[in-house]
Amino acid sequence: LELAEERSRLLLESAEEGIFGVGEDGLVNFINPAALGMLGYEADELIERKIHPLVHHSRPDGSHYPIEECPMHHSLTRGEAASRDDEVLWRKDGTAFPVEYSSVPMRKSDSIAGSVVVFRDISERQKFEEALRTSRTTARGLLDATKESLLLLDKKGIIIAVNRTAARRHQRTPQEMIGISGFDALPRNLRESRKAHFSNVLQTGIPA
């Protein structure tokens, strides 16, 4: 038993994710170093305290977040597991950071004995996703600004992207062209030669 407890302690202390647990009374009974580091608290400031009023009291826009609506709280009161990636946790200094978290109830016999929350800071992921969206928007704008017809095909010749110029020339919307064969969009007398050309490019890797 002591060995199992020691292993559990080492796992909690070495985990990169923040982990904390609450007992059936709703008070924090353990929290790992990663969680403390992200939240900016010392262990004795959170142990035996209700955590929602301290770190989960407000929504991303700063409005009040009633504990009765909190999925973490529902794991303890309703026995419901939950996963969210659209909320924030609040640090001791009053700043917030976006998190992805999972909350699961702990059961003993037929009753709920507490719950465990595992969370991670997703600030960098959100920055990357926003940069990717911006990049795609910019690329889309450049594609649509050109007067050349541009089609992007997968290895089977199916259209996976098309600019507005090409769509207009085929008297369709870009959405109507996604998913159809790029060769079917060509005049009949060009289809076979273009298929052969496309096959050669795939085999050799050399554009022509």
PDB file of all heavy atoms in Angstrom, residues 82-95:
ATOM      1  N   ALA A  82     -16.889  15.451 -17.291  1.00  0.00           N
ATOM      2  CA  ALA A  82     -16.993  16.582 -18.207  1.00  0.00           C
ATOM      3  C   ALA A  82     -15.635  16.895 -18.813  1.00  0.00           C
ATOM      4  O   ALA A  82     -14.599  16.662 -18.199  1.00  0.00           O
ATOM      5  CB  ALA A  82     -17.526  17.814 -17.477  1.00  0.00           C
ATOM      6  N   SER A  83     -15.653  17.417 -20.047  1.00  0.00           N
ATOM      7  CA  SER A  83     -14.452  17.892 -20.718  1.00  0.00           C
ATOM      8  C   SER A  83     -14.792  19.204 -21.397  1.00  0.00           C
ATOM      9  O   SER A  83     -15.801  19.305 -22.094  1.00  0.00           O
ATOM     10  CB  SER A  83     -13.949  16.886 -21.765  1.00  0.00           C
ATOM     11  OG  SER A  83     -13.530  15.685 -21.159  1.00  0.00           O
ATOM     12  N   ARG A  84     -13.953  20.234 -21.191  1.00  0.00           N
ATOM     13  CA  ARG A  84     -14.192  21.542 -21.802  1.00  0.00           C
ATOM     14  C   ARG A  84     -12.869  22.128 -22.287  1.00  0.00           C
ATOM     15  O   ARG A  84     -11.814  21.866 -21.716  1.00  0.00           O
ATOM     16  CB  ARG A  84     -14.814  22.502 -20.775  1.00  0.00           C
ATOM     17  CG  ARG A  84     -16.158  22.071 -20.220  1.00  0.00           C
ATOM     18  CD  ARG A  84     -17.246  22.093 -21.276  1.00  0.00           C
ATOM     19  NE  ARG A  84     -17.553  23.443 -21.717  1.00  0.00           N
ATOM     20  CZ  ARG A  84     -18.513  24.193 -21.180  1.00  0.00           C
ATOM     21  NH1 ARG A  84     -19.246  23.724 -20.183  1.00  0.00           N
ATOM     22  NH2 ARG A  84     -18.752  25.404 -21.642  1.00  0.00           N
ATOM     23  N   ASP A  85     -12.958  22.938 -23.327  1.00  0.00           N
ATOM     24  CA  ASP A  85     -11.767  23.647 -23.792  1.00  0.00           C
ATOM     25  C   ASP A  85     -12.095  25.095 -24.142  1.00  0.00           C
ATOM     26  O   ASP A  85     -11.379  25.746 -24.906  1.00  0.00           O
ATOM     27  CB  ASP A  85     -11.135  22.943 -24.999  1.00  0.00           C
ATOM     28  CG  ASP A  85     -12.054  22.913 -26.217  1.00  0.00           C
ATOM     29  OD1 ASP A  85     -13.190  23.424 -26.136  1.00  0.00           O
ATOM     30  OD2 ASP A  85     -11.626  22.381 -27.262  1.00  0.00           O
ATOM     31  N   ASP A  86     -13.191  25.604 -23.559  1.00  0.00           N
ATOM     32  CA  ASP A  86     -13.622  26.966 -23.868  1.00  0.00           C
ATOM     33  C   ASP A  86     -13.769  27.813 -22.600  1.00  0.00           C
ATOM     34  O   ASP A  86     -14.483  28.815 -22.593  1.00  0.00           O
ATOM     35  CB  ASP A  86     -14.953  26.943 -24.623  1.00  0.00           C
ATOM     36  CG  ASP A  86     -16.067  26.244 -23.845  1.00  0.00           C
ATOM     37  OD1 ASP A  86     -15.773  25.590 -22.819  1.00  0.00           O
ATOM     38  OD2 ASP A  86     -17.242  26.331 -24.263  1.00  0.00           O
ATOM     39  N   GLU A  87     -13.069  27.425 -21.544  1.00  0.00           N
ATOM     40  CA  GLU A  87     -13.157  28.162 -20.288  1.00  0.00           C
ATOM     41  C   GLU A  87     -11.769  28.632 -19.856  1.00  0.00           C
ATOM     42  O   GLU A  87     -10.761  28.295 -20.487  1.00  0.00           O
ATOM     43  CB  GLU A  87     -13.798  27.292 -19.202  1.00  0.00           C
ATOM     44  CG  GLU A  87     -15.226  26.910 -19.541  1.00  0.00           C
ATOM     45  CD  GLU A  87     -15.934  26.162 -18.420  1.00  0.00           C
ATOM     46  OE1 GLU A  87     -15.268  25.798 -17.423  1.00  0.00           O
ATOM     47  OE2 GLU A  87     -17.134  25.939 -18.549  1.00  0.00           O
ATOM     48  N   VAL A  88     -11.731  29.404 -18.791  1.00  0.00           N
ATOM     49  CA  VAL A  88     -10.459  29.892 -18.264  1.00  0.00           C
ATOM     50  C   VAL A  88     -10.376  29.584 -16.776  1.00  0.00           C
ATOM     51  O   VAL A  88     -11.395  29.364 -16.110  1.00  0.00           O
ATOM     52  CB  VAL A  88     -10.295  31.419 -18.470  1.00  0.00           C
ATOM     53  CG1 VAL A  88     -10.304  31.772 -19.952  1.00  0.00           C
ATOM     54  CG2 VAL A  88     -11.368  32.201 -17.719  1.00  0.00           C
ATOM     55  N   LEU A  89      -9.157  29.566 -16.277  1.00  0.00           N
ATOM     56  CA  LEU A  89      -8.911  29.546 -14.838  1.00  0.00           C
ATOM     57  C   LEU A  89      -8.219  30.856 -14.474  1.00  0.00           C
ATOM     58  O   LEU A  89      -7.527  31.457 -15.306  1.00  0.00           O
ATOM     59  CB  LEU A  89      -8.046  28.346 -14.440  1.00  0.00           C
ATOM     60  CG  LEU A  89      -8.685  26.967 -14.599  1.00  0.00           C
ATOM     61  CD1 LEU A  89      -7.724  25.870 -14.148  1.00  0.00           C
ATOM     62  CD2 LEU A  89     -10.002  26.856 -13.835  1.00  0.00           C
ATOM     63  N   TRP A  90      -8.413  31.266 -13.239  1.00  0.00           N
ATOM     64  CA  TRP A  90      -7.900  32.558 -12.800  1.00  0.00           C
ATOM     65  C   TRP A  90      -6.746  32.370 -11.812  1.00  0.00           C
ATOM     66  O   TRP A  90      -6.841  31.617 -10.857  1.00  0.00           O
ATOM     67  CB  TRP A  90      -9.020  33.377 -12.169  1.00  0.00           C
ATOM     68  CG  TRP A  90     -10.078  33.725 -13.170  1.00  0.00           C
ATOM     69  CD1 TRP A  90     -11.102  32.921 -13.604  1.00  0.00           C
ATOM     70  CD2 TRP A  90     -10.170  34.939 -13.910  1.00  0.00           C
ATOM     71  NE1 TRP A  90     -11.838  33.557 -14.568  1.00  0.00           N
ATOM     72  CE2 TRP A  90     -11.297  34.806 -14.785  1.00  0.00           C
ATOM     73  CE3 TRP A  90      -9.430  36.121 -13.936  1.00  0.00           C
ATOM     74  CZ2 TRP A  90     -11.691  35.816 -15.649  1.00  0.00           C
ATOM     75  CZ3 TRP A  90      -9.824  37.137 -14.795  1.00  0.00           C
ATOM     76  CH2 TRP A  90     -10.942  36.981 -15.641  1.00  0.00           C
ATOM     77  N   ARG A  91      -5.657  33.085 -12.077  1.00  0.00           N
ATOM     78  CA  ARG A  91      -4.485  33.022 -11.204  1.00  0.00           C
ATOM     79  C   ARG A  91      -4.706  33.869  -9.955  1.00  0.00           C
ATOM     80  O   ARG A  91      -5.616  34.699  -9.892  1.00  0.00           O
ATOM     81  CB  ARG A  91      -3.244  33.523 -11.945  1.00  0.00           C
ATOM     82  CG  ARG A  91      -2.915  32.765 -13.226  1.00  0.00           C
ATOM     83  CD  ARG A  91      -1.628  33.324 -13.831  1.00  0.00           C
ATOM     84  NE  ARG A  91      -1.303  32.672 -15.102  1.00  0.00           N
ATOM     85  CZ  ARG A  91      -1.644  33.128 -16.298  1.00  0.00           C
ATOM     86  NH1 ARG A  91      -2.329  34.267 -16.392  1.00  0.00           N
ATOM     87  NH2 ARG A  91      -1.306  32.482 -17.395  1.00  0.00           N
ATOM     88  N   LYS A  92      -3.818  33.674  -9.008  1.00  0.00           N
ATOM     89  CA  LYS A  92      -3.889  34.441  -7.771  1.00  0.00           C
ATOM     90  C   LYS A  92      -3.751  35.939  -8.033  1.00  0.00           C
ATOM     91  O   LYS A  92      -4.352  36.764  -7.328  1.00  0.00           O
ATOM     92  CB  LYS A  92      -2.789  33.976  -6.809  1.00  0.00           C
ATOM     93  CG  LYS A  92      -2.808  34.666  -5.456  1.00  0.00           C
ATOM     94  CD  LYS A  92      -1.680  34.156  -4.570  1.00  0.00           C
ATOM     95  CE  LYS A  92      -1.656  34.876  -3.228  1.00  0.00           C
ATOM     96  NZ  LYS A  92      -0.552  34.393  -2.363  1.00  0.00           N
ATOM     97  N   ASP A  93      -2.972  36.301  -9.081  1.00  0.00           N
ATOM     98  CA  ASP A  93      -2.760  37.724  -9.375  1.00  0.00           C
ATOM     99  C   ASP A  93      -3.913  38.361 -10.143  1.00  0.00           C
ATOM    100  O   ASP A  93      -3.846  39.529 -10.533  1.00  0.00           O
ATOM    101  CB  ASP A  93      -1.438  37.922 -10.133  1.00  0.00           C
ATOM    102  CG  ASP A  93      -1.447  37.289 -11.527  1.00  0.00           C
ATOM    103  OD1 ASP A  93      -2.507  36.814 -11.975  1.00  0.00           O
ATOM    104  OD2 ASP A  93      -0.371  37.256 -12.162  1.00  0.00           O
ATOM    105  N   GLY A  94      -4.979  37.596 -10.396  1.00  0.00           N
ATOM    106  CA  GLY A  94      -6.157  38.154 -11.052  1.00  0.00           C
ATOM    107  C   GLY A  94      -6.190  38.013 -12.553  1.00  0.00           C
ATOM    108  O   GLY A  94      -7.163  38.426 -13.192  1.00  0.00           O
ATOM    109  N   THR A  95      -5.136  37.448 -13.145  1.00  0.00           N
ATOM    110  CA  THR A  95      -5.135  37.224 -14.590  1.00  0.00           C
ATOM    111  C   THR A  95      -5.701  35.840 -14.886  1.00  0.00           C
ATOM    112  O   THR A  95      -5.694  34.951 -14.033  1.00  0.00           O
ATOM    113  CB  THR A  95      -3.714  37.329 -15.166  1.00  0.00           C
ATOM    114  OG1 THR A  95      -2.857  36.365 -14.529  1.00  0.00           O
ATOM    115  CG2 THR A  95      -3.156  38.726 -14.946  1.00  0.00           C
TER     116      THR A  95
END
